[in-house]
Amino acid sequence: MKFDRTFRTVIVLFIILVILISSYFVQDIISKNNVASVEETDLSLTGAKLSDSTYAKMVVSGTWDSAVGVANQFDFTIFNADKYDLANWTISIQVPAGSVLDNYWGSEAELDKSTGLLVIKPTSYNNTILSDGNITFGIIVSAKEAFSPTSLHLQGYKILNNNTSLARRIVEVFIGIWAIVFIGFLVTRLNFRNYREKQKNDIKIILQSMNTFINFIDAKDPYTRGHSKRVAMYAAEIAKRMRLPEDDIQNIYYAGLLHDAGKISVPDAVLNKPGVLTKEERTMIQNHTVAGGKMLVQLSSLKGVRETALYHHERYDGSGYPDGLKGEMIPLFARIVGVADAYDAMSSNRVYRRHLNKDEIIEEIQKGAGTQFDPRIVTYMVDMINDGYVNVVKMETADNDESYGKFNLTEEDIPGVYMGF
Ligand SMILES: [Fe+2]
């Protein structure tokens, strides 16, 4: 399966999105189910740690006589300087056999008399110690004598704290926006692809219709076979180099293809006459512009095609035909096709002369700048000759140009003037 670059990029971005979302959930699941427990057995009871920032401390805050013997008060503090909240925590201490739980506060406590383990659990008020928080609570245990617990254990679940996870919020928002944009992009792209497919098909139909019509023109004037296609390609390239909009480039290509449509109305004998033309014959040939304009009047949906057929023989100085339009009055497409048409006529063999060579063509075109041609367009055409673009076009259209190279005229046969119609 072949994918274009944009589609590959979308796939890569999609995979990254999946990884991001998965890692987000995995992190969440891990953080919520992480049971961290560290047992501290140091008799100094400096603290039991879950981590460097989450730990418990215990102090013996007093002893006094009781009915059993000695009452021992122990106060506990759990510090949570972590970025996580601490949930479902328990603290447990080992107490001597025979101890009695006298009192407790700030928590719930349960003494297992068989093991001597006193487990202190959170109450409903403080079952979660928030990030950067701490709680204090205490118990009184009566025993035969004063004692210090031999071990202190702290257990709990670390869970992510919403207040401290600004970065996570940002990631959530980012992922949300990204997902919306991504889905939007996918939908748009899918629609755009369908649209492009349809557009491609439409263009194919237009081109096939045009080529069929061009075959009629070529059948009448076999010496210029391939001319329309080459002119279309030169004109489109000029438009591209002039940075005209994409639609204009497309339309100028159609305009180039059909610029000589009116030739179909010119009698074959006149069109292919090798000798000097009479005034009437010249008028008949020149009339292909007006005829083309009339024939293409129905093709109004393709911008500039009719005007190009009508005005591609106007001259920049106003001495052209059919209307003697001058300068910018001549539609841009017609000015561009005019230059492309002239180049192709000069570089192809005609019934009345052989093609000119590269230097002669450049000289002729430059001579015509400002008189026959729009000077700005001339510079693009000359560039295309010099950088070899025109040769690429000739190679691409070689199959259509069956007459190319069939002439064996000598240099002397070159009339020296361009006689494009
Ligand atoms: Fe023409």
Side-chain angles (χ1 to χ4, degrees), residues 22 56 114 134 148 176 180 196 244 270 277 291 305 348 381 419:
S22 318
S114 62
N134 63 74
S148 278
I180 290 165
R196 291 289 286 195
L244 296 189
V270 177
L277 297 172
V305 171
S348 310
M381 190 70 237
M419 285 178 65

Side-chain angles (χ1 to χ4, degrees), residues 72 75 104-105 108 115 148 168 190 220 239 248 278 294 301 350 358 386 398:
N72 301 270
D75 289 339
Y104 59 86
W105 57 93
E108 290 173 359
T115 60
S148 278
R168 193 177 100 158
L190 197 67
K220 279 188 73 77
D248 282 357
T278 65
K294 281 182 187 161
S301 56
R350 287 289 165 101
K358 181 182 162 186
N386 282 329

Side-chain angles (χ1 to χ4, degrees), residues 260 288 312-313 341 421:
D260 269 346
H288 81 280
H312 71 279
H313 285 289
D341 184 25
F421 292 112

Side-chain angles (χ1 to χ4, degrees), residues 86-97:
L86 181 65
N88 296 336
W89 55 266
T90 60
I91 278 213
S92 47
I93 55 173
Q94 194 73 43
V95 298

